[in-house]
């Protein structure tokens, strides 16, 4: 029965971690984000990633990371299955955020803005998730 206790602790720890990450995502939302923008965010992010991955002016390593991200998003098997409410999509959001942070460090915020296909509220949220300063903030 020791393995049951260990499994319960591991599952509880993972659940707590995901709840903390969801709280961070909630905190990262912007005032411009409407319900319509939120619903359109995932398709817009997929189009953004595809456009960035096809941009020959970006470094090869950046494009490879983006193609790997697209493959992950299109895979039917995730770290957390999408059938689990909230948590199923949270892993996708976290993987996208980490990848976009990495990409924007190399490609720049202008590449993100240039290829963004959606509403400004969605771009503001994606920019925050990517670790970019709010628009109009001086660099530094």
């Amino acid at each position: 029965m020791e393995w049951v206790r260990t499994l319960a602790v591991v599952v509880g720890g993972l659940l707590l971690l995901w709840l903390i990450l969801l709280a961070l995502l909630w905190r990262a939302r912007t005032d411009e984000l409407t319900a319509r923008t939120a619903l359109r965010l995932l398709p817009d992010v997929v189009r953004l990633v595809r456009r960035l991955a096809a941009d020959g002016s970006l470094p090869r390593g950046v494009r490879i990371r983006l193609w790997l991200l697209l493959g992950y998003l299109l895979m039917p098997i995730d770290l957390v299955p999408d059938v689990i409410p909230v948590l199923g999509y949270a892993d996708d959001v976290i993987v996208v955020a980490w990848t976009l942070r990495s990409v924007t460090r190399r490609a720049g915020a202008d590449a993100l803005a240039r290829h963004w296909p959606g509403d400004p509220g969605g771009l503001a949220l994606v920019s925050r998730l990517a670790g970019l300063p709010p628009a109009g903030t001086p660099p530094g």
Side-chain angles (χ1 to χ4, degrees):
M1 283 311 202
E2 184 65 29
W3 68 272
V4 173
R5 184 180 312 171
T6 303
L7 181 63
V9 168
V10 168
V11 168
L14 288 173
L15 181 60
L16 179 63
L17 177 64
W18 284 117
L19 289 174
I20 291 169
L21 290 171
L22 283 175
L24 291 173
L25 288 172
W26 177 256
R27 190 171 155 244
R29 79 191 189 293
T30 62
D31 293 338
E32 303 92 35
L33 185 67
T34 63
R36 182 173 184 235
T37 302
L39 289 173
R40 293 193 49 180
L41 193 60
L42 183 60
D44 286 344
V45 167
V46 171
R47 282 195 299 273
L48 169 71
V49 170
R50 183 184 48 79
R51 288 176 179 181
L52 286 168
D55 185 347
S57 68
L58 298 179
R60 180 183 299 210
V62 166
R63 293 192 323 257
I64 289 171
R65 279 182 253 159
L66 290 164
W67 283 113
L68 290 172
L69 174 62
L70 272 175
Y72 175 79
L73 290 174
L74 296 174
M75 266 186 359
I77 300 170
D78 283 348
L79 295 173
V80 178
D82 290 340
V83 296
I84 298 174
V86 181
L87 294 179
Y89 292 105
D91 70 318
D92 293 342
V93 171
I94 292 164
V95 170
V96 166
W98 281 337
T99 304
L100 287 178
R101 278 179 181 258
S102 169
V103 165
T104 54
R105 284 190 183 114
R106 293 284 315 270
D110 57 327
L112 193 70
R114 185 173 64 244
H115 291 292
W116 179 250
D119 297 333
L123 177 58
L125 177 61
V126 169
S127 295
R128 277 188 82 178
L129 289 174
L132 298 174
T137 304

